[in-house]
Amino acid sequence: MSEAGPKIHPQTLSVHPEDRITPGWNAVQVPVARASTILFPDLASMRALNWRDDSQWRYGLHATPTSMALQQRLAALEGGQYTLLHPSGLSSITNVYLAFVRPGDDVLIPDNVYSPNRDLGDWYARDFGVSVRYYDPLIGERIADLIQPNTKLIWIEAPGSVTMEVPDVPAIARVARAKGVVTAIDSTYAAGIAFRPLEHGIDIVVQALTKYQSGGSDVMMGATITRDSALHTELKRARMLFGIGVSADDCALVLRSLPTMQLRYEAHDRSALSLATWLATRPEVEAVLHPALPSCPGHAHFARDFTGAGGLFSIVLNARYTSAQVDAFVEGLRFFKLGWSWGGALSLALPYDIRSMRTATSWPYDGVLVRFFVGLEDTRDLRDDIERSLTQHLAG
Ligand SMILES: *Cc1c(COP(=O)(O)O)cnc(C)c1O
C-alpha cells in the first residue's frame, strides 16, 4: 500500500491508516475488542508465549486488536516504531520512571515541567534514593555540564507547561545520546502534529492522549512512543509488572477522534494565535508567551523545529493588578471555563503563581500569569469575552 509512489501526508494517513489488525473485518472503524481471557488452542502454545513478542495476543490487560490499532496509528504519527498505552498521560510519565530509574540514579528535569512530573521527581528523591535535579529549560547543549556518570534519564518538555519556553530539543538530544543518557520528552503540546521529537534524536515521546487525541474532554489515556526496541522492552516490562492496561472502549473513542485531530489542531492554532497577537496590543498585558511570537523565550527553536502551535498560550498581566483582580478577570470570562486538562472543544483559562512552581531558575515577572486554552468557539466571541472581562475587572 505505502510502497513506492509519492509520500503520503499524515492527515491522509490518519483517514487511511495502514494497519490491518483484524483481517477480513471491513468496517471503517476498528472493532471494540473487550477482553480479559484470551483462549489458546493447546498448552504448548500457551507455554511458548513470550511477553517480548508484540505480535502475540496473551491477555486483555496487555493488548487487544483495538489497543494495537491505536498503538500503531500513534507510532505512525510520531514517526516511531513502538507504542505503549497507559490509563492517563501521567501514568505514561510514571512508567518511564518505573522502567529506567533505580536508587542511586540521577534524573534531570526542566524547571518548567508539568507539575505532577515534578511531584513524582520529588517523591523519588525523598523516598527512593534518587538524585533529582532541575535545569533551566533553555540550557541547550550546556546540559552536558550537568550530566554525571549516574545520570540515567533527562526529561524535556517542549514547550514547557504553562510558561511556554521552547527548549533546543536537538541540542539536548545530541548531548544525551553522546553520553548514553535516555531522553524522554513530554510532547503533548505538539500531539505528533507540530513537532516529531523522534526525528530529532529523542528516545521516548510521551503523549497525554487525554488532550488533542481524545479531543472530547471525556477520555483519560497516555502513550509512550519510541523507535528503540530495547527501550520499548524495558517500558513494556514495567507496564506489565505494574498491571497497567487500558480499556478497548477508551481506545475506540480515541481512534474515532484521530482522523479529525490535525484539522482541530489547526483551528485551535489559528484562533489562539489571533487572540495572542491581539492581547499583545492590550495595555493590561505585560507579556504574551506564545511560542509562535518572538516575545516567547525559545521562539527561535520553535521557528526552526515546529510547524504549528495548537491552542495553548499564556499571558502575564501587568504587575499593578493584584491576584484578586486577576482572579476576578478569569472568573469573569464567560466562554473560558475553569478546569484542568485541555485539548477539547471548550476554552479554558487559569491563573498561576509561577514563582512557587520553580526552584532552578528565576521568574522575571511580578504580574500574575494566566494560561489560556483556546477551544473551537468562534474566535470573535472569545475575543469579545476577554475584552469585556479585562475592561470590567482590570480597568485603571
Ligand atoms: C495533561 C498533561 C499530562 C497528563 O495527562 P493526564 O492524562 O491528565 O494524566 C502530561 N503532560 C502534559 C504536558 C499535560 O498537559
Side-chain angles (χ1 to χ4, degrees):
M1 247 194 309
S2 65
E3 299 99 72
K7 175 187 175 301
I8 304 172
H9 296 93
Q11 172 56 27
T12 304
L13 269 182
S14 78
V15 179
H16 297 262
E18 297 191 323
D19 44 71
R20 267 281 156 264
I21 291 155
T22 43
W25 178 257
N26 268 328
V28 173
Q29 301 292 1
V30 174
V32 180
R34 296 193 190 91
S36 52
T37 302
I38 290 166
L39 301 174
F40 296 88
D42 48 47
L43 289 171
S45 44
M46 288 183 94
R47 288 173 185 144
L49 286 176
N50 174 0
W51 66 269
R52 290 179 176 80
D53 183 348
D54 283 342
S55 72
Q56 297 174 337
W57 305 117
R58 289 171 294 133
Y59 189 53
L61 181 65
H62 303 143
T64 64
T66 324
S67 70
M68 189 67 82
L70 180 54
Q71 289 182 170
Q72 291 188 7
R73 289 179 199 185
L74 294 170
L77 257 174
E78 293 283 352
Q81 194 85 38
Y82 311 99
T83 304
L84 289 168
L85 300 171
H86 304 90
S88 66
L90 180 55
S91 83
S92 292
I93 293 171
T94 308
N95 200 63
V96 173
Y97 282 91
L98 294 175
F100 300 109
V101 180
R102 299 290 175 268
D105 289 346
D106 175 60
V107 180
L108 294 171
I109 302 178
D111 206 23
N112 58 356
V113 79
Y114 171 70
S115 306
N117 188 342
R118 188 179 191 107
D119 297 340
L120 197 53
D122 291 346
W123 189 48
Y124 262 79
R126 199 190 64 208
D127 291 352
F128 297 97
V130 171
S131 143
V132 171
R133 292 177 296 146
Y134 294 94
Y135 68 86
D136 177 350
L138 294 173
I139 197 167
E141 64 187 11
R142 284 180 296 112
I143 193 119
D145 301 338
L146 294 182
I147 294 176
Q148 304 172 166
N150 64 337
T151 303
K152 187 57 78 63
L153 174 66
I154 298 175
W155 278 104
I156 302 167
E157 200 171 304
S161 270
V162 187
T163 47
M164 300 290 154
E165 299 94 333
V166 187
D168 188 342
V169 176
I172 296 175
R174 210 178 314 118
V175 170
R177 193 149 278 203
K179 301 209 176 212
V181 181
V182 173
T183 48
I185 188 167
D186 184 335
S187 192
T188 302
Y189 175 95
I193 294 173
F195 178 51
R196 297 169 102 201
L198 298 175
E199 292 174 356
H200 296 268
I202 292 292
D203 293 318
I204 300 166
V205 169
V206 170
Q207 285 291 345
L209 308 176
T210 308
K211 307 289 169 51
Y212 291 118
Q213 288 83 352
S214 144
S217 309
D218 56 358
V219 185
M220 303 292 312
M221 203 178 291
T224 54
I225 302 135
T226 178
R227 290 176 168 177
D228 183 311
S229 88
L231 295 178
H232 168 67
T233 300
E234 287 312 309
L235 289 163
K236 194 173 169 188
R237 184 201 308 274
R239 182 183 184 274
M240 179 176 62
L241 290 173
F242 281 83
I244 295 164
V246 294
S247 92
D249 296 85
D250 286 348
C251 292
L253 288 172
V254 179
L255 281 165
R256 188 186 231 241
S257 295
L258 277 186
T260 61
M261 177 167 70
Q262 185 175 320
L263 303 176
R264 288 183 279 112
Y265 195 92
E266 289 166 1
H268 291 295
D269 188 354
R270 273 194 305 278
S271 193
L273 189 55
S274 120
L275 290 174
T277 307
W278 165 68
L279 278 162
T281 68
R282 292 291 306 197
E284 300 89 344
V285 175
E286 183 71 37
V288 176
L289 304 173
H290 185 301
L293 298 179
S295 50
C296 189
H299 165 73
H301 306 140
F302 180 86
R304 182 191 64 194
D305 298 336
F306 283 66
T307 57
L312 213 55
F313 73 94
S314 296
I315 60 172
V316 181
L317 289 154
N318 189 286
R320 68 177 176 272
Y321 304 118
T322 64
S323 44
Q325 280 178 294
V326 177
D327 285 357
F329 157 68
V330 171
E331 289 183 337
L333 294 164
R334 174 178 175 195
F335 297 122
F336 290 83
K337 302 296 187 185
L338 305 176
W340 283 296
S341 213
W342 42 269
L346 189 75
S347 290
L348 302 165
L350 279 179
Y352 285 88
D353 171 16
I354 302 302
R355 288 215 169 105
S356 71
M357 295 165 66
R358 45 181 70 200
T359 54
T361 50
S362 58
W363 176 246
Y365 299 106
D366 290 321
V368 179
L369 179 147
V370 174
R371 186 181 73 177
F372 293 100
F373 172 68
V374 177
L376 297 176
E377 301 91 342
D378 190 306
T379 312
R380 293 168 295 188
D381 295 327
L382 297 178
R383 178 175 156 156
D384 288 349
D385 191 23
I386 296 173
E387 185 159 34
R388 187 192 40 74
S389 198
L390 279 176
T391 310
Q392 195 172 338
H393 298 285
L394 301 184

